[in-house]
Amino acid sequence: MNLIKQEDAGLDSRLNAVVLKIKKLGYSLTPQRFEIIKIISESKSHPSAIEVYNKLKKSYPMVSLNTVYKNLSMLSSLHEVREIKTLQNSVHYDGDTSPHGHAICEKCGKITDVKISEFDFKGFFETRIKKQLTESFHVRNYGVEFYGLCGHCFDLTGASAQD
Amino acid sequence: MNLIKQEDAGLDSRLNAVVLKIKKLGYSLTPQRFEIIKIISESKSHPSAIEVYNKLKKSYPMVSLNTVYKNLSMLSSLHEVREIKTLQNSVHYDGDTSPHGHAICEKCGKITDVKISEFDFKGFFETRIKKQLTESFHVRNYGVEFYGLCGHCFDLTGASAQD
DNA sequence: TTTTCTGCAAAGCTTTTGCAACACT
DNA sequence: AGTGTTGCAAAAGCTTTGCAGAAAA
């Protein structure tokens, strides 16, 4: 119960933060845009543009896919949404912009979040990698991706498919 | 001098390893295929399919883009080439399949390798992340991506573009 | 000789662009 | 009122598919 409340609070504050940023920058907050932000914030499944579109159509049947694309790329350029490139040829979106990892199944394409505490990653980053980068590259965000087989696909094919 | 020799040896052995694997698995080694493998092994710029195609045309002017796609996706499924999804909507290919990171410029799309010694990442991975994953997910490879601005783009726009 | 691979053409998908009408502030 | 946004349609870009002829084992 406590957990659920905390999660909801987290979502609401994320939603609010994005809404505020948009207003602050002078963009308008259309109902479609708001709903898109909401869908992305609430979703845990890293949806693609089409998936967002399909959800959005439930509230706005006349909405166009174009609108979804425009809003997602706007949110992405504001760094309020993270793009994930999967093995399928489409971009998936992640409303959680804090540093964390993804486990991506090479068979079914499923994306699972991997928690990497800021503490852990910063430690690794600061001690090992930063010195290589700072002179020439200015990091805004980072991601760790694991490629392999999810439990389900492993059970089906993993046992026999040894390199 | 020493370094150059070592690098060449590295490339040759990579090339050989891939060729051997292909033969071992019963696939044929056509000249086009060999050249594609060579281009990818030698390239340090993470080329896209079209870029590989353009290089390949110098040796095989009649080659089709289709052939490039088929071979790259074959190499990818054999895990002898790594796909990198960039911000541009195209897949880039990396002939270095060992664990290492990429710094991707959000402005110009340039991809730079980030050395992460196997030792460093394994340590981080084993102590912090593995326990989250092993039960449900079977890792085959991992990558660390840094998003931000390369030195050049930062000099142009970075100073003024503060969130 | 059999299987795999190539090259050409066409189709498929995702994403982008152009533009008039509309909505937000 | 003015600018930003939407929705429709069309175009563009990357990747895949189908198939006959050619090449590899």
Side-chain angles (χ1 to χ4, degrees):
Chain A
M1 282 302 167
N2 240 336
L3 273 175
I4 292 170
K5 274 187 195 162
Q6 272 185 282
E7 272 186 16
D8 282 353
L11 285 180
D12 282 353
S13 64
R14 273 248 69 219
L15 202 60
N16 279 331
V18 180
V19 166
L20 280 178
K21 186 168 191 177
I22 282 176
K23 294 198 164 181
K24 187 184 149 205
L25 291 173
Y27 298 113
S28 44
L29 186 70
T30 63
Q32 295 95 325
R33 177 167 290 167
F34 180 76
E35 190 64 25
I36 289 169
I37 298 171
K38 206 164 151 235
I39 288 170
I40 284 286
S41 304
E42 287 170 355
S43 173
K44 291 178 180 169
S45 63
H46 313 88
S48 65
I50 297 251
E51 286 161 348
V52 172
Y53 173 64
N54 287 329
K55 283 191 189 176
L56 184 59
K57 272 202 295 193
K58 290 176 188 162
S59 326
Y60 298 90
M62 300 302 289
V63 78
S64 87
L65 181 54
N66 185 344
T67 299
V68 174
Y69 275 112
K70 280 198 176 144
N71 277 290
L72 288 176
S73 73
M74 175 208 190
L75 291 169
S76 171
S77 72
L78 298 181
H79 300 98
E80 293 301 338
V81 137
R82 207 162 113 189
E83 299 188 339
I84 312 172
K85 317 289 175 163
T86 64
L87 308 147
Q88 282 67 33
N89 293 317
S90 61
V91 181
H92 288 243
Y93 295 87
D94 188 343
D96 180 359
T97 54
S98 67
H100 65 277
H102 295 121
I104 303 176
C105 178
E106 292 181 325
K107 199 93 185 177
C108 70
K110 189 181 170 198
I111 306 170
T112 314
D113 278 340
V114 179
K115 277 174 216 135
I116 299 175
S117 78
E118 195 123 6
F119 173 79
D120 279 347
F121 201 91
K122 276 235 165 89
F124 173 64
F125 179 69
E126 298 287 341
T127 54
R128 297 299 189 174
I129 294 172
K130 201 172 179 182
K131 50 180 171 282
Q132 264 194 75
L133 281 176
T134 34
E135 306 209 69
S136 51
F137 195 89
H138 302 259
V139 176
R140 209 193 279 271
N141 202 355
Y142 31 77
V144 183
E145 261 88 52
F146 299 94
Y147 300 99
L149 294 172
C150 70
H152 180 247
C153 292
F154 182 81
D155 291 342
L156 289 179
T157 62
S160 53
Q162 206 71 20
D163 270 29
Chain B
M1 282 303 166
N2 241 334
L3 274 173
I4 292 169
K5 274 187 194 163
Q6 272 184 283
E7 272 186 16
D8 282 354
L11 286 179
D12 282 354
S13 65
R14 275 247 68 217
L15 203 61
N16 279 332
V18 180
V19 167
L20 280 177
K21 186 168 190 178
I22 282 176
K23 293 200 164 179
K24 186 184 150 205
L25 292 173
Y27 299 112
S28 44
L29 186 69
T30 63
Q32 293 95 325
R33 176 166 292 166
F34 180 76
E35 190 64 26
I36 289 169
I37 298 170
K38 205 164 152 238
I39 288 170
I40 284 287
S41 304
E42 288 171 354
S43 173
K44 290 178 180 171
S45 62
H46 315 88
S48 65
I50 297 251
E51 288 162 346
V52 172
Y53 172 64
N54 287 329
K55 283 191 188 176
L56 184 59
K57 271 202 294 192
K58 290 176 188 163
S59 326
Y60 298 90
M62 300 303 290
V63 78
S64 88
L65 182 55
N66 185 344
T67 299
V68 174
Y69 274 112
K70 280 196 175 145
N71 278 289
L72 288 176
S73 73
M74 175 209 190
L75 291 169
S76 171
S77 72
L78 298 181
H79 300 97
E80 293 300 339
V81 137
R82 209 162 114 189
E83 298 187 342
I84 312 172
K85 318 290 176 160
T86 64
L87 308 147
Q88 282 68 33
N89 294 317
S90 60
V91 182
H92 288 242
Y93 295 87
D94 189 344
D96 180 358
T97 54
S98 68
H100 65 278
H102 294 121
I104 303 176
C105 178
E106 293 181 325
K107 199 93 185 179
C108 70
K110 189 182 171 197
I111 307 170
T112 313
D113 279 339
V114 179
K115 278 175 215 135
I116 299 174
S117 80
E118 194 122 8
F119 173 79
D120 280 347
F121 197 86
K122 276 230 165 91
F124 174 64
F125 179 69
E126 298 286 341
T127 53
R128 296 298 191 175
I129 296 174
K130 201 172 179 181
K131 50 179 170 284
Q132 266 194 74
L133 282 177
T134 35
E135 307 209 68
S136 50
F137 195 89
H138 302 260
V139 176
R140 209 193 277 270
N141 202 354
Y142 34 78
V144 182
E145 260 89 52
F146 299 93
Y147 300 98
L149 294 174
C150 70
H152 180 247
C153 291
F154 182 81
D155 291 341
L156 289 179
T157 64
S160 54
Q162 206 70 20
D163 270 30

